């Protein structure tokens, strides 16, 4: 890549000649404000706030579309540039409703931030503001407020260029310009909610989240979406120990800056749901009854002991972490001695061209890698189900997976003499279980999942359970978490007596006479990294926030 | 002076009449020349674009890449939306074949096989007239495949606008032709690099193209001696407002503005013998001139530039002593607000703000500080926008307030007096 020398605000830099001024400045830690520019979309050059002075150019130039050239002398903060910037801010704000106090975007609004950073702090505008449509249901999942819109066109370009559907368009002219879908159509593509994230103002809001919380009242924890095998990087937004929303987190190797609407909306509601299993249960006289951990563990241990090795099968889970599956596979081999180890696949439809994968689980490849595979002469998933129906398999131990919802499985389950499950929520499957362990959701535990690219990615606890404390366990904290008084309702959100599956299995192993030295998820992962080839050389530190790819005898971080 | 663009010949719009008076001779001559020789001839003539920017036409043509390995296009701008401008319409009606002949020569010179004449939708009647003329020229073999047996082929299409001023901006015009929303494009890339459908494109005004046959017929030497040297040729001026004979007149460049307003063969003076308060010389976006400063100002690019305005589209608007200039400016501001496409922030928001402020001036509701604020808001638009519409909206405001500040201050004062009363 040929380099050119440029002068930026008086300092010399050598930069790639294909870069724009804005990109070259950004790469050198000089921030040039921008609304319409988004590095994952084509440039539109319309907001005009990124104007900079380039020597020998008579007019100010938009830095988002002006390519650097040898010897260019650029000024990003002299008086002329600042005046133009303040002018753009003033123009944008004259017709903006300035309704930050009731706007969902407040606190994470580019316009609000820039109003503090780059505007004069007052307006000379004394005339009547323009009025436009408010509360427009522009799509089934997105609301539009035309008065807040600054016509940056990011949402239009997102639909055209990323989602691949031309759903949004400007209509009208001048300061009457607004965004519309074609008559009778709506913003309903599977990625529609990303426009909420990239909207630099509160014009496009998330119907599911709007009015739920001020963003500064929430904590944000880096995690991974559990909606499919893509494993989109996300942030979990939590207030008062309840998840309120997910947002995509940038990872160019996985999901760019996006996630699908399904993942955003449907992969976490179970965490807060009424049907959460809040503590472990044993079936007594046909009913599941809450019991303490010790009783549930003792019951499972004694039941499992009562069956012969070949009468037992275990099902790991493509929804559980590598850590959970690893300990489970180890337990099945070493303690139960069974060869019948597998997990239930969940494949629906086909992969799309953007992010969505046909494999609807977050960790199928991880489960396999850490040992959830039939052992020599052992049965696979379908064989296990057939063997249960035939009465050959009498006891089944199943990790977090509602297997009964898969057609053809339910019949088999009633045939079992003993059925233990780890579950986060009541389901069809738990109706057949004799012991139900209250498992932590992915949002309540440390661990890793491995996506379809064999990229190991971290999940972190965002919601506390009985065994955790926000401050002591280094959770991400909101302002309220830190500063609310003890008599505030704050911090009194629902907590459940759930544990990560690996921990529950470790306890059962202990009762059955095998002590595993796993005190936390790191211990499990470290053993995975020692024992499993592809994981060698990895650690939570190396997995970091962007993940690391597992390869045969080779780990690329 | 002899009329070349709008000759006074009956039925000159008919192809037979046009041919009888030497029509299509320039085309026959041009196709005997090498394309580059045609471009050189246009360069030497000194012809400058008649669409407002006065850019040298031959130079513009020379920006087009040579060779025929990829498609190239010519777009002829007949959107004619600038208030005070109505000259291209006369060409469509009275001399469409001159335009068509010029376009074919231009296509030949630049190696272009398709040209679009973009005509504002409001000109329904004139679009039909141009279509008729095109059909006749096709029938005679002047357009189409293998023109005059030369092996050169080109097609010409009319394209009807849908009522937006912005589509007269050359890059918005291209989007409009492509069926896209009429938003100006960011430059660079310039049209000669990436124009219609991403291919090299030249955009010329209707009147500009109508000058081409003259240059080829009579030679660049002859043409360059018409009018003033640096901005030569015949030019159509549209005179409107407070004159006895409003209309379109063909003149050599450099005729004094006062002659155009007062001479009986042109504007014929101000009705009622009133004095001239102000003149907008080149369409509504050009800077207004005070009536008492018109002496020595001529209708050509350099003279008007020296006087602090520009020749624009040569749409001269005359305003007599009784004209309410605040109201005039409010109306102009309304136009640019109405026509701003809304793509970029300063123009989208600024044009509306200007109109709102001027509405207050018009109704004696302005504050003292609004006079300077008006100019400041215009300054904040100028130069910071995607296209020249922002400038077009700013210049009238800047020049009206600069040259007629007292008219605006009066609106403030009178309000104060009303309050006091």
């Amino acid at each position: 890549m040929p380099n050119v020398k440029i002068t930026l605000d008086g300092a010399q830099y050598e930069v790639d000649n294909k870069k724009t001024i804005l990109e070259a400045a950004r790469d050198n830690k000089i921030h040039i404000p921008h609304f319409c520019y988004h590095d994952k979309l084509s440039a539109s050059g319309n907001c005009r706030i990124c104007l900079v002075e380039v020597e020998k150019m008579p007019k100010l130039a938009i830095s988002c579309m002006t390519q650097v050239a040898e010897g260019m002398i650029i000024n990003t903060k002299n008086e002329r540039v600042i005046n133009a910037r303040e002018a753009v801010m003033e123009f944008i704000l004259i017709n903006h409703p300035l309704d930050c106090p009731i706007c969902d975007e407040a606190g994470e609004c580019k316009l609000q931030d820039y109003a503090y950073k780059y505007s004069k702090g007052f307006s000379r505008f004394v005339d009547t503001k323009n009025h436009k449509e408010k509360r427009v249901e522009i799509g089934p999942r997105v609301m539009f407020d035309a008065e807040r819109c600054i016509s940056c066109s990011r949402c239009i370009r997102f639909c055209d260029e990323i989602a691949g559907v031309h759903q949004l368009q400007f209509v009208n002219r001048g300061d009457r310009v607004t965004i519309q879908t074609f008559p009778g159509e709506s913003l309903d593509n599977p990625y529609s909610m990303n426009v909420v994230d990239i909207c630099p103002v509160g014009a496009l809001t998330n119907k599911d989240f709007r009015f739920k919380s001020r963003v500064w009242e929430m904590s944000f924890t880096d995690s991974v979406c559990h909606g499919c095998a893509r494993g989109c990087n996300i942030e979990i937004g939590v207030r008062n120990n309840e998840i309120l929303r997910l947002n995509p987190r940038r990872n160019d190797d996985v999901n760019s800056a996006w996630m699908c609407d399904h993942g955003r909306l449907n992969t976490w509601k179970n965490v807060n749901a009424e049907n959460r299993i809040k503590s472990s249960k044993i079936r007594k006289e046909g009913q599941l009854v809450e019991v303490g951990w010790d009783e549930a563990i003792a019951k499972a241990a004694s039941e499992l002991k009562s069956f012969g090795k070949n009468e037992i099968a275990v099902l790991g889970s493509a929804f559980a972490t590598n850590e959970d599956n690893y300990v489970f596979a180890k337990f099945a081999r070493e303690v139960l001695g069974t060869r019948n180890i597998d997990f239930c696949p969940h494949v629906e439809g086909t992969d799309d061209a953007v992010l969505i994968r046909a494999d609807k689980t977050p960790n199928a490849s991880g489960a396999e890698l850490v040992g959830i595979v039939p052992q020599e002469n052992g049965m696979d998933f379908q064989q296990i189900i057939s063997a249960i129906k035939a009465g050959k398999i009498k006891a089944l131990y199943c990790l977090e997976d509602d297997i009964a919802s898969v057609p053809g499985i339910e019949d088999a389950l009633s045939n079992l003499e003993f059925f233990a499950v780890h579950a986060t929520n009541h389901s069809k499957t738990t109706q057949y279980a004799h012991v139900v362990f209250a498992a932590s959701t992915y949002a309540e535990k440390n661990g890793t999942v491995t996506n379809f690219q064999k990229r190991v990615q971290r999940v972190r606890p965002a919601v506390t359970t009985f065994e955790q404390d926000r401050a002591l366990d280094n959770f991400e904290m909101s302002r309220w978490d830190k500063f609310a008084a003890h008599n505030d309702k704050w911090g009194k959100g629902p907590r459940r007596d759930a544990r990560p599956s690996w921990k529950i299995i470790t306890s059962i192993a202990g009762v059955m006479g095998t002590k595993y030295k796993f005190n936390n998820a790191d211990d499990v992962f470290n053993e995975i990294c020692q024992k499993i080839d592809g994981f060698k050389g990895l650690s939570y530190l190396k997995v970091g926030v962007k993940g690391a790819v597992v390869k045969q005898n080779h780990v690329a971080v | 002076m002899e009329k070349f663009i709008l000759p006074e010949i009956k039925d000159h719009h008919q192809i037979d009449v046009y041919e009888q008076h030497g029509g299509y001779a320039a085309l026959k001559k041009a196709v005997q020349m090498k394309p580059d020789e045609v471009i050189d001839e246009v360069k030497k003539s000194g012809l400058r674009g008649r669409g407002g920017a006065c850019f040298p036409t031959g130079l513009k043509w020379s920006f087009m890449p040579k060779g025929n390995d990829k498609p190239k296009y010519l777009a002829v701008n007949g959107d004619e939306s600038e208030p005070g401008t109505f000259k291209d319409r006369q060409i469509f009606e009275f001399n469409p074949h001159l335009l068509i002949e010029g376009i074919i020569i231009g296509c030949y010179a630049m190696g272009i096989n398709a040209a679009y004449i973009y005509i504002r939708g409001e000109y329904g009647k004139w679009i039909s007239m141009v279509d008729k003329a095109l059909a006749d020229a096709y029938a005679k073999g002047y357009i189409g495949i293998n023109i005059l047996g030369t092996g050169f082929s080109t097609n010409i299409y009319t394209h009807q606008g849908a009522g937006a001023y912005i589509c007269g901006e050359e890059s918005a015009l291209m989007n409009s032709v492509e069926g896209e929303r009429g938003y100006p494009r960011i430059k660079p890339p310039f049209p000669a690099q990436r124009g219609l459908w991403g291919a090299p494109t030249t955009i010329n005004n209707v009147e500009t193209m109508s000058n081409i046959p003259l240059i080829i017929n009579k030679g660049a030497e002859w043409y360059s001696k018409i009018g003033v040297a640096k901005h030569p040729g015949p030019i159509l001026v549209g005179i409107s407002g407070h004159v006895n004979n409003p209309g379109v007149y063909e003149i050599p460049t450099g005729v004094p503005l006062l002659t155009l307003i007062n001479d009986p063969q042109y504007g014929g003076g101000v009705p009622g013998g009133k004095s001239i308060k102000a003149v907008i010389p080149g369409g509504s976006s050009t800077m207004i001139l005070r009536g008492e400063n018109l002496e020595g100002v001529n209708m050509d690019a350099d003279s008007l530039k020296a006087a602090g305005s520009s020749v624009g589209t040569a749409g001269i608007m005359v305003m007599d002593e009784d004209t309410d200039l605040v109201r005039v400016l409010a109306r102009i501001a309304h136009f640019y607000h109405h026509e701003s496409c809304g793509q970029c922030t300063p123009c989208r928001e600024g044009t509306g703000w200007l109109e709102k402020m001027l509405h207050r001036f018009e109704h004696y509701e302005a504050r003292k500080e609004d006079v300077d604020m008006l100019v400041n808001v215009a300054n904040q638009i100028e130069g910071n926008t995607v296209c020249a519409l922002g400038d077009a909206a700013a210049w009238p405001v800047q020049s009206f307030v600069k040259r007629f500040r007292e008219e605006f201050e009066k609106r403030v004062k009178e309000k104060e007096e009303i309050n006091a009363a």
Side-chain angles (χ1 to χ4, degrees), chain A residues 367-388:
Chain A
E368 266 176 58
L369 282 169
V370 300
I372 303 294
V373 281
Q375 305 298 295
E376 208 179 344
N377 300 322
M379 296 181 223
D380 67 14
F381 176 68
Q382 286 306 332
Q383 290 167 330
I384 290 170
I385 298 303
S386 306
I388 295 171

Side-chain angles (χ1 to χ4, degrees), chain B residues 39-367:
Chain B
I39 295 180
D40 280 344
E41 200 68 13
V42 175
K43 266 189 189 168
K44 273 189 266 173
S45 75
L47 171 63
R48 291 165 72 171
R50 300 287 193 252
C54 296
F55 194 83
T57 306
L59 185 61
K60 190 186 250 188
W61 288 11
S62 70
F63 294 154
M64 287 291 273
K66 308 288 175 206
N68 290 313
D69 49 330
K70 56 179 173 179
K72 291 179 272 188
Y73 297 100
L74 175 66
V76 181
N77 191 344
D79 193 56
E80 186 150 84
S81 300
E82 181 81 354
T85 313
F86 39 95
K87 63 191 178 63
D88 296 340
R89 191 180 64 191
Q90 303 302 101
I91 296 172
F92 295 145
E93 180 161 352
F94 297 107
N95 210 355
H97 287 288
L98 183 69
L99 168 65
I100 292 165
E101 192 179 1
I103 292 170
I104 305 164
I105 296 169
C107 288
Y108 174 75
M110 290 179 276
I112 289 169
N113 307 116
Y116 297 86
I117 311 175
Y118 191 96
I119 306 176
R120 63 184 324 203
E122 294 87 336
Y123 280 3
K125 171 183 158 192
W126 291 275
I127 294 168
S128 314
M129 294 176 106
V130 174
D131 281 338
K132 167 76 169 71
L134 284 172
D136 292 344
Y138 266 106
K140 294 255 182 174
Y142 295 129
I143 325 174
I145 294 165
N146 192 16
I147 293 166
L148 302 173
T150 57
F152 175 71
S153 306
T154 197
N155 283 307
I156 303 176
Y157 311 91
T158 53
H159 189 101
Q160 181 173 350
Y165 170 76
I166 193 62
C167 291
E169 195 280 340
E170 61 178 20
S171 60
L173 183 149
M174 294 192 294
N175 276 347
S176 178
V177 169
E178 288 182 26
E180 298 289 327
R181 183 174 165 84
Y183 265 179
R185 299 176 182 178
I186 310 261
K187 287 171 251 182
F190 293 96
Q193 303 163 277
R194 284 176 59 89
L196 280 168
W197 295 286
T201 301
T202 290
I203 299 122
N204 285 126
N205 174 261
V206 163
E207 185 187 342
T208 311
M209 294 313 286
S210 305
N211 276 270
I212 302 299
L214 306 182
I215 295 166
I216 300 302
N217 254 337
K218 306 204 173 191
E221 178 77 18
W222 170 85
Y223 185 90
S224 67
K225 295 217 166 74
I226 302 173
V228 299
K230 286 186 176 170
H231 184 201
I235 185 169
L236 301 184
V237 296
I239 306 176
S240 63
H242 296 139
V243 287
N244 284 312
N245 311 321
V248 173
Y249 299 94
E250 181 177 336
I251 59 161
T253 54
V255 174
L257 209 48
L258 282 173
T259 305
L260 290 171
I261 295 167
N262 291 324
D263 193 292
Q265 62 170 323
Y266 302 120
V270 179
K274 288 181 187 172
S275 65
I276 302 166
K277 184 189 258 186
V279 171
I280 296 175
S284 62
S285 67
T286 57
M287 296 205 176
I288 194 166
L289 299 170
R290 281 186 83 98
E292 63 264 33
N293 295 341
L294 299 177
E295 202 67 54
V297 179
N298 304 327
M299 204 59 193
D300 66 79
D302 291 337
S303 179
L304 277 164
K305 196 177 169 192
S309 187
S310 50
V311 73
T313 52
I316 300 168
M317 289 182 272
V318 181
M319 288 163 263
D320 72 18
E321 58 191 272
D322 294 332
T323 310
D324 178 353
L325 289 183
V326 171
R327 211 172 146 212
V328 172
L329 185 59
R331 185 60 186 80
I332 292 175
H334 170 73
F335 176 80
Y336 289 109
H337 174 213
H338 188 255
E339 297 298 338
S340 167
C341 76
Q343 181 180 196
C344 70
T345 308
C347 178
R348 180 182 67 238
E349 304 294 340
T351 51
W353 193 1
L354 288 175
E355 192 195 351
K356 283 172 186 173
M357 279 198 279
L358 282 160
H359 183 83
R360 284 194 281 114
F361 274 102
E362 194 184 340
H363 295 91
Y364 298 88
E365 287 166 5
R367 305 164 305 165

Side-chain angles (χ1 to χ4, degrees), chain A residues 44-48 51 59-60 62 65 83-84 86-88 90-92 94-95 120 123-130 132 149-152 169-177, chain B residues 163-166 180-181 183 186 188 337-353 356-357 360 367 370 372-373 376-377 380-381 383-387 391:
Chain A
S44 63
N46 63 45
C47 79
R48 316 305 282 185
L51 286 168
K59 291 180 180 183
L60 297 178
I62 42 170
M65 288 180 83
N83 283 341
E86 287 177 351
V88 171
E90 185 176 50
F91 281 138
I92 289 178
I94 61 172
N95 284 312
K120 280 187 178 146
S123 176
R124 298 176 292 168
F125 186 78
V126 294
D127 296 281
T128 313
K129 283 178 190 276
N130 292 345
K132 292 183 187 174
C149 176
I150 63 167
S151 299
C152 72
Q169 176 65 294
F170 281 133
V171 294
N172 301 336
R173 272 198 313 247
D175 54 13
R176 287 88 61 214
V177 158
Chain B
Y165 170 76
I166 193 62
E180 298 289 327
R181 183 174 165 84
Y183 265 179
I186 310 261
H337 174 213
H338 188 255
E339 297 298 338
S340 167
C341 76
Q343 181 180 196
C344 70
T345 308
C347 178
R348 180 182 67 238
E349 304 294 340
T351 51
W353 193 1
K356 283 172 186 173
M357 279 198 279
R360 284 194 281 114
R367 305 164 305 165
D370 287 337
D372 287 327
M373 200 165 106
N376 183 269
V377 170
Q380 288 189 170
I381 303 171
N384 292 335
T385 52
V386 172
C387 79
D391 301 340

